[in-house]
Amino acid sequence: MVRLIRKESITRRITRHVFLSVGAFISILPFLWLITTSLKPPNTLYSAPLLFPTHFHIENYIEAFQAAPFARYSLNSFIMSAGIVLTQTLFSAFAGYAFARIKFKFSNLLFFILLGTMMISNYAIVIPNFLTVNALGWYDTFAALIIPRAASVFAIFLFRQFFLSLPKEIEDAAKIDGCGKIRIFFQIALPLSKPVIVTSALFSFLFAWNDFLWPLIVTDSPQMRTIQLGLSVFQGRYGVRWTLLSAATVLSILPSIVAFLIAQKYFIKGIAGTGLKG
Amino acid sequence: MRNLTSKSGSLTPAFFRKEQTAAFLLLFPSILILGVFNIYPAFYSIVLSFFEWNGFSPDIPFVGIENYKTLFTNGVFYNSLLVTIIYSVVVTFGSLIIGLLVAVALDRDIKGKTLYRILYFLPVVTPTVASGVVWKYLFDPTQGIINTMLSYINIQGPAWLNDSAWALFSVSIVGIWKRIGFCMIIYLAALQGVSANLYEAARIDGATEFNILKSIKIPLLSPATLFLTITGFIDSFRIFDLVYVMTNGGPVDETDVLGLMLYRNGFEYFKLGYASSIAVGIFGILLILSFVQWKFTQGGEAY
Amino acid sequence: MKKGVVLLLFISLITVLSFAGVNIEFWHYWDGANGDKLEELVETFNEAHPDITIEPIFIPGSSIVTKIQTASLSGRTPALAISDIIKISLIAETGQLVDLKPFIAKDDYNIDDFYEELLVYGQRDNQLVSLPVSSSNLGLFWNKRLFKEAGLDPEKPPKTWEELVEYSEQIKEKTGKIGYELYTQGGEGTTWQWQVFLWGAGGEFLDPVTNYQKAAFNSEAGRKALQFWYDLIHEYEVSSISPWGLFGRGEAAMVMDGSWMVQFFPMQVDFELGAAVFPHPEDGVPATNMGGEQIFVFNKSEEEKQAAWEFIKWFTGKDIQIEWDKATGFIPVKKSVANDDGYVAYIKNTKRLLLPFVESGKYANARPPINEYPEISDIFSKEILKALHDRMSVEEALESAEALVNDILK
């Protein structure tokens, strides 16, 4: 592999790190606050320090975890997220490819209609969707949590843009060999799409994991609750239990961080780039 | 070249049918689900916007364009529209530019690359409500870290979220902060598709880092940029929870975005017909904006 | 043959057992200690009533109305639910709430024991669709440490607006801290605190004579109350327009907050607290604003409705209410509870901070029980904030709010 970076001067490297560090620090300020708060005894909530922990009141984590059946809620969230990630990624890769690479009638119009549905506020579609799910007999089931979100315009758009930027020449050879579009998709385009697949899967996961309103509306029994609904036990009608909420929030973020760690491995120069002509 | 292939190919009816079948098969799952759970409810909203309904009463009178009349003769709507446009422009382009710079800086072998990426991505995974609450503390006029730091260099910071002149700016900062990691990831993913050989060739020709960014990377990233601009506008035009937590539209109405207006009417006043007309209004504006961006870039195909 | 008989008997036994009991859901949003106590009470009830099983289901507080709304569209409502008093009239619009009057008449249930101000929320035409189960109200909290530092008697809270200003000025001068923390963040928080000032000055928010169909706040009392807020900020400079929470951090010496904070403040602050009935103008009257929950029954089978009523009757009974109020810190909804010697002694001895709130019960005013209230409240707070931010005068703000509110009600 070609080494990309020529030797840089020390000052340049330092400048780069200073720039990146300052930005990174600002990025994580709120996260530091969450961790510090999650480790405070409740009666020091309002007092300094606010950013770096000096207390280590680890009991908050235990108490928070016991405040609701979080093991069950996490399991539900995992099942729901896995279902949404798999379906959204697969279906969106299909559709994104069709929009980017196949000429068909009204292709642009259809895509624009789909894009348009992204612009309707989530709050406006909750009621009709609830009625649909209820009529289908899915109320309080995983079907209600997964199927209505099995497709995503956002992800289709992402895949479409990615396939547009893949050089078309690679496909032409296959086409001349007489391969159909679907075979080209599976044998050539999809294997080249790892970065966008992980990106799309990552955002599907984050969307599913953090969703609150829809699971609230379509589930009823405690056995079907998801983790975000669980977090709301700390945001009481008559006051928020900050220390516990922070502890539970920190725990609830961990799977997202792991998901990101897995995904970011694919953003290494060369994986998709090798073998492609510019 | 490839256009030629596909055009000449499409002349034979059998092949033509095959391509159409492929498109149909590939699109079918998404279209089915989106049709039932996105397109149908969108029409439902449009229809509902001609009625008056509180969501509880079985009595749902048809009111014609009354909701739209109320909306368009309402000073609150125009204030919210202006606020939302400012917010969207600042957040969309602010996050896009910073995200691009960070992505380019991290798209190489430097020390601590993975750590930096995680740190920049943390805001994306932090739940919106928690972020809003925490930023409220950071912006606190007396105890907040921002004004504390400013006081070290002898600057008396403003009241940020409670200051009419600064509130929208402060909220936009948080909007950008939350979105940088997202833009960074999209650009990082897109940069993986850009061949390394291209840079190398350019470097041999004596191009500077800045020139490479300007003449190679940015043009090649234009599909990603279109994606980020359109989704940026769509997301920030519908922003609600972040502002709800931080200012709830205040100090008076300086940060009263359209999303808040929609939420209030739909979920607090239960004026569902009117709320639908707001949703349709937002939809219409976004559609026009996206269409303009789309035409402007030919769907990102012309790079 | 014998085996067959046994089997038959067994099957019929199972059938009888499964049909004899009625199982109903109860949606609520009480969390933490309140939620634990509710679960405990429900268990006691279920044990005492083998034919009824109540299943409490926690719904996050901010979402219960939305949840009830979607449920009511599909017949998935629970038999029993609670909501904030201010949302009852809206939920009643479904037409699915059961009139409790026949049950009350049949069982000779004493309805007059409830505070009348609370009963207005359940009244709908000639029906009564909900009953109060918990209440809370607003009062003054003060920071005894800051009072001491300012040279004030830490055991003596201000009783009038005039004293409030006087004390605040002394606190400002001696400690540099904010005297009184105003809620300037808008929305219902601003409106319902302001109403206490309005009622204290002798005003009304909406006109009760027209059945709350007209704004009444643009009055002498209204101008006095708003001018007082304005002066606290701009004239005496003892309050500020700032994020809520200064009092909790020890940066403000006094604040108006709810009885529920008796439970939370002591856990969160590191100074000694006092609580009192909220000050009123020298020529005015003591006042407070009331919140709380009411319970209601959705139209279901006769058995389910009867079971739900049995629970309400039991839950609102004097003894259970005393137990409930002691554990949760809610203010009594029944006069017999507020006057019960055992309860009063308990409050005096172990929850002294709550005492002024129980006392305030008799000064309680209620927000108008109309569907439009949430919108009116938001619009109103926005207009008075314009005055506080100097974008309008006090008179202009009230006039503009009056016009906007009357427009909604027309």
Side-chain angles (χ1 to χ4, degrees):
Chain A
M1 246 198 81
V2 196
R3 187 124 176 90
L4 285 178
I5 303 171
R6 289 168 301 176
K7 271 270 167 265
E8 285 181 300
S9 70
I10 300 253
T11 32
R12 243 190 110 156
R13 261 190 288 169
I14 289 175
T15 323
R16 187 193 303 277
H17 277 286
V18 168
F19 163 77
L20 283 170
S21 316
V22 170
F25 178 67
I26 296 171
S27 277
I28 61 163
L29 274 179
F31 197 71
L32 288 177
W33 187 93
L34 266 184
I35 290 181
T36 307
T37 305
S38 74
L39 289 168
K40 277 181 175 180
N43 61 345
T44 60
L45 176 65
Y46 294 117
S47 49
L50 297 170
L51 283 184
F52 298 100
T54 49
H55 302 279
F56 290 93
H57 196 73
I58 209 83
E59 292 90 327
N60 286 338
Y61 281 83
I62 298 159
E63 200 182 328
F65 192 76
Q66 288 168 345
F70 275 108
R72 174 79 217 191
Y73 293 175
S74 310
L75 179 68
N76 289 342
S77 275
F78 270 114
I79 297 174
M80 174 180 86
S81 305
I84 292 177
V85 167
L86 286 176
T87 49
Q88 272 196 2
T89 312
L90 190 66
F91 295 164
S92 304
F94 287 173
Y97 185 76
F99 280 121
R101 279 295 195 262
I102 304 178
K103 299 252 181 269
F104 57 94
K105 260 189 193 164
F106 308 121
S107 144
N108 271 354
L109 180 70
L110 182 62
F111 183 71
F112 220 75
I113 290 173
L114 295 190
L115 211 52
T117 64
M118 265 177 98
M119 302 164 193
I120 289 273
S121 169
N122 293 336
Y123 289 95
I125 66 173
V126 159
I127 290 179
N129 279 349
F130 169 80
L131 294 175
T132 306
V133 160
N134 189 53
L136 290 167
W138 293 348
Y139 185 72
D140 209 26
T141 65
F142 278 109
L145 290 173
I146 296 171
I147 298 174
R149 283 96 57 79
S152 156
V153 181
F154 173 86
I156 294 174
F157 192 9
L158 187 66
F159 274 105
R160 176 190 181 272
Q161 299 307 91
F162 171 81
F163 287 126
L164 280 179
S165 63
L166 263 190
K168 289 170 196 170
E169 289 80 356
I170 347 164
E171 291 178 30
D172 291 342
K175 199 180 268 172
I176 290 160
D177 291 347
C179 287
K181 277 289 175 189
I182 293 192
R183 252 184 85 186
I184 298 178
F185 170 73
F186 278 108
Q187 292 192 339
I188 298 173
L190 208 56
L192 288 172
S193 322
K194 271 185 201 145
V196 70
I197 290 173
V198 290
T199 310
S200 172
L202 175 65
F203 287 113
S204 296
F205 177 81
L206 292 181
F207 158 80
W209 190 256
N210 291 319
D211 198 15
F212 175 82
L213 186 64
W214 183 248
L216 172 84
I217 299 288
V218 297
T219 64
D220 190 1
S221 55
Q223 295 79 19
M224 288 302 297
R225 296 260 167 105
T226 61
I227 193 151
Q228 299 301 326
L229 298 183
L231 287 181
S232 64
V233 302
F234 306 111
Q235 293 155 283
R237 186 72 171 187
Y238 294 106
V240 177
R241 287 175 286 168
W242 284 114
T243 49
L244 298 186
L245 177 62
S246 304
T249 305
V250 169
L251 290 179
S252 76
I253 292 176
L254 292 180
S256 305
I257 295 179
V258 172
F260 176 73
L261 279 175
I262 298 169
Q264 73 90 32
K265 281 198 176 152
Y266 291 89
F267 304 133
I268 294 165
K269 196 89 230 161
I271 285 193
T274 37
L276 295 190
K277 275 192 289 152
Chain B
M1 290 304 110
R2 27 96 201 174
N3 275 342
L4 216 114
T5 332
S6 63
K7 265 179 198 148
S8 62
S10 69
L11 288 177
T12 62
F15 187 68
F16 178 78
R17 226 184 304 122
K18 232 171 147 190
E19 287 247 309
Q20 301 290 295
T21 315
F24 176 79
L25 288 176
L26 290 172
L27 287 169
F28 182 73
S30 289
I31 299 289
L32 177 69
I33 290 160
L34 292 171
V36 176
F37 293 104
N38 289 55
I39 297 176
Y40 159 69
F43 279 104
Y44 183 100
S45 283
I46 295 172
V47 172
L48 193 55
S49 70
F50 297 103
F51 290 85
E52 192 181 300
W53 186 36
N54 64 20
F56 291 90
S57 169
D59 180 29
I60 310 173
F62 177 77
V63 293
I65 57 162
E66 204 51 44
N67 288 325
Y68 290 97
K69 262 197 204 152
T70 315
L71 184 65
F72 292 123
T73 54
N74 190 342
V76 175
F77 172 71
Y78 292 103
N79 173 62
S80 294
L81 182 61
L82 182 67
V83 169
T84 309
I85 290 175
I86 296 174
Y87 174 86
S88 301
V89 170
V90 173
V91 170
T92 303
F93 293 111
S95 60
L96 192 138
I97 293 166
I98 301 174
L100 174 66
L101 292 178
V102 175
V104 169
L106 291 178
D107 182 42
R108 63 182 69 220
D109 282 314
I110 61 162
K111 265 215 179 81
K113 182 181 66 183
T114 307
L115 182 65
Y116 279 131
R117 286 178 175 182
I118 294 172
L119 299 184
Y120 279 103
F121 197 69
L122 266 177
V124 182
V125 301
T126 311
T128 309
V129 173
S131 327
V133 169
V134 174
W135 273 99
K136 225 166 121 174
Y137 278 91
L138 303 178
F139 274 127
D140 191 277
T142 48
Q143 286 203 332
I145 180 122
I146 298 173
N147 276 1
T148 311
M149 283 182 180
L150 285 176
S151 71
Y152 293 147
I153 48 170
N154 272 327
I155 295 176
Q156 157 89 52
W160 301 110
L161 297 170
N162 280 277
D163 184 318
S164 296
W166 287 93
L168 183 55
F169 175 76
S170 314
V171 172
S172 308
I173 295 270
V174 182
I176 294 176
W177 166 85
K178 189 111 180 65
R179 208 177 149 78
I180 289 175
F182 173 68
C183 296
M184 170 189 83
I185 289 300
I186 298 295
Y187 276 130
L188 270 177
L191 281 168
Q192 310 315 307
V194 179
S195 165
N197 303 343
L198 258 185
Y199 309 149
E200 213 42 42
R203 281 208 187 84
I204 290 163
D205 291 346
T208 63
E209 197 80 3
F210 178 73
N211 275 334
I212 293 176
L213 181 65
K214 204 183 81 178
S215 347
I216 301 178
K217 289 185 186 168
I218 290 181
L220 282 174
L221 290 174
S222 79
T225 306
L226 177 76
F227 173 79
L228 287 173
T229 320
I230 289 186
T231 57
F233 269 91
I234 289 175
D235 287 347
S236 42
F237 238 83
R238 301 182 309 167
I239 187 76
F240 148 73
D241 33 12
L242 194 68
V243 188
Y244 181 72
V245 174
M246 285 200 294
T247 62
N248 197 4
V252 180
D253 53 9
E254 291 83 349
T255 57
D256 194 22
V257 290
L258 285 170
L260 272 178
M261 189 181 175
L262 173 70
Y263 177 81
R264 276 200 308 265
N265 281 287
F267 281 73
E268 282 178 5
Y269 314 155
F270 290 92
K271 292 162 83 171
L272 299 188
Y274 186 52
S276 295
S277 73
I278 301 171
V280 173
I282 297 177
F283 168 79
I285 295 161
L286 276 174
L287 204 62
I288 295 167
L289 280 175
S290 309
F291 191 71
V292 169
Q293 288 168 2
W294 185 267
K295 281 284 144 193
F296 196 62
T297 54
Q298 280 103 58
E301 283 174 275
Y303 60 92
Chain C
M1 192 60 204
K2 215 174 162 193
K3 248 187 198 166
V5 174
V6 173
L7 194 70
L8 206 70
L9 271 175
F10 188 69
I11 290 174
S12 42
L13 188 69
I14 297 241
T15 324
V16 168
L17 274 181
S18 55
F19 276 93
V22 43
N23 192 329
I24 58 176
E25 283 188 7
F26 173 25
W27 289 5
H28 70 93
Y29 55 66
W30 286 308
D31 56 330
N34 303 350
D36 294 345
K37 186 67 197 178
L38 180 77
E39 302 254 331
E40 185 195 317
L41 287 176
V42 166
E43 219 166 284
T44 314
F45 175 86
N46 286 343
E47 272 164 28
H49 299 76
D51 51 334
I52 302 176
T53 309
I54 307 278
E55 192 189 341
I57 292 186
F58 172 82
I59 310 275
S62 52
S63 329
I64 201 162
V65 185
T66 307
K67 185 84 181 144
I68 288 176
Q69 188 213 343
T70 45
S72 76
L73 294 176
S74 58
R76 294 205 177 269
T77 49
L80 266 176
I82 58 152
S83 94
D84 191 299
I85 46 175
I86 218 73
K87 291 290 189 331
I88 304 278
S89 66
L90 192 62
I91 295 169
E93 294 251 315
T94 54
Q96 297 176 23
L97 294 192
V98 173
D99 182 15
L100 299 175
K101 275 189 176 163
F103 292 99
I104 291 167
K106 197 177 72 191
D107 287 359
D108 213 4
Y109 180 86
N110 180 13
I111 192 91
D112 299 328
D113 194 11
F114 288 105
Y115 286 106
E116 280 156 53
E117 302 84 22
L118 286 169
L119 287 176
V120 298
Y121 291 102
Q123 270 151 19
R124 191 177 163 75
D125 307 326
N126 258 328
Q127 302 186 333
L128 186 70
V129 295
S130 68
L131 282 177
V133 284
S134 58
S135 169
S136 50
N137 61 39
L138 295 170
L140 179 84
F141 285 96
W142 81 94
N143 179 333
K144 292 188 179 175
R145 194 171 67 202
L146 279 179
F147 266 53
K148 240 179 272 175
E149 279 172 30
L152 290 163
D153 179 354
E155 299 307 325
K156 201 172 149 260
K159 290 215 159 40
T160 62
W161 286 7
E162 291 74 10
E163 281 176 7
L164 181 76
V165 171
E166 190 187 313
Y167 290 18
S168 295
E169 283 182 320
Q170 190 164 335
I171 286 155
K172 172 102 190 285
E173 197 193 314
K174 295 277 167 54
T175 68
K177 305 278 183 180
I178 299 286
Y180 174 74
E181 178 176 17
L182 272 177
Y183 192 89
T184 55
Q185 303 301 293
E188 169 69 352
T190 293
T191 305
W192 94 312
Q193 291 214 354
W194 188 81
Q195 283 163 345
V196 176
F197 289 78
L198 172 73
W199 290 321
E204 281 287 351
F205 191 66
L206 299 185
D207 184 11
V209 182
T210 62
N211 214 5
Y212 310 107
Q213 293 304 301
K214 228 176 96 207
F217 48 72
N218 189 13
S219 59
E220 180 106 19
R223 282 185 289 275
K224 184 171 170 178
L226 186 53
Q227 189 65 48
F228 185 65
W229 274 39
Y230 184 88
D231 289 345
L232 284 173
I233 299 169
H234 299 283
E235 171 77 21
Y236 313 120
E237 297 180 350
V238 294
S239 298
S240 68
I241 294 178
S242 45
W244 183 241
L246 298 177
F247 180 79
R249 305 190 309 212
E251 284 186 70
M254 291 176 278
V255 73
M256 179 195 286
D257 214 325
S259 46
W260 57 88
M261 290 310 285
V262 167
Q263 185 187 343
F264 289 100
F265 270 147
M267 286 193 296
Q268 297 170 345
V269 302
D270 56 358
F271 50 81
E272 214 192 321
L273 275 172
V277 175
F278 199 80
H280 55 86
E282 243 159 45
D283 54 353
V285 287
T288 187
N289 208 338
M290 215 165 30
E293 287 89 29
Q294 304 217 346
I295 196 165
F296 40 86
V297 180
F298 279 97
N299 213 347
K300 298 264 157 179
S301 74
E302 287 306 319
E303 280 159 307
E304 286 169 290
K305 285 194 285 194
Q306 187 60 40
W309 168 250
E310 287 300 326
F311 179 75
I312 294 183
K313 211 167 59 176
W314 181 84
F315 188 43
T316 56
K318 184 182 164 193
D319 293 342
I320 301 298
Q321 278 293 303
I322 289 178
E323 197 183 333
W324 171 243
D325 288 340
K326 275 184 183 174
T328 57
F330 283 127
I331 305 302
V333 292
K334 284 186 146 181
K335 295 165 210 162
S336 62
V337 174
N339 296 326
D340 181 77
D341 291 340
Y343 174 74
V344 174
Y346 171 81
I347 296 298
K348 275 191 176 145
N349 296 329
T350 60
K351 281 201 175 167
R352 260 207 100 69
L353 278 177
L354 206 56
L355 193 60
F357 294 96
V358 178
E359 251 173 59
S360 288
K362 55 180 178 285
Y363 310 129
N365 288 269
R367 287 161 291 166
I370 55 172
N371 288 347
E372 295 87 350
Y373 180 75
E375 186 174 9
I376 289 174
S377 164
D378 278 357
I379 286 183
F380 178 80
S381 67
K382 200 154 128 188
E383 296 308 299
I384 66 169
L385 280 179
K386 286 181 186 167
L388 301 182
H389 279 268
D390 260 332
R391 275 163 56 172
M392 279 183 178
S393 72
V394 164
E395 290 78 14
E396 283 165 355
L398 288 173
E399 246 160 60
S400 152
E402 184 183 35
L404 290 168
V405 167
N406 283 339
D407 197 41
I408 292 171
L409 289 171
K410 81 164 187 265

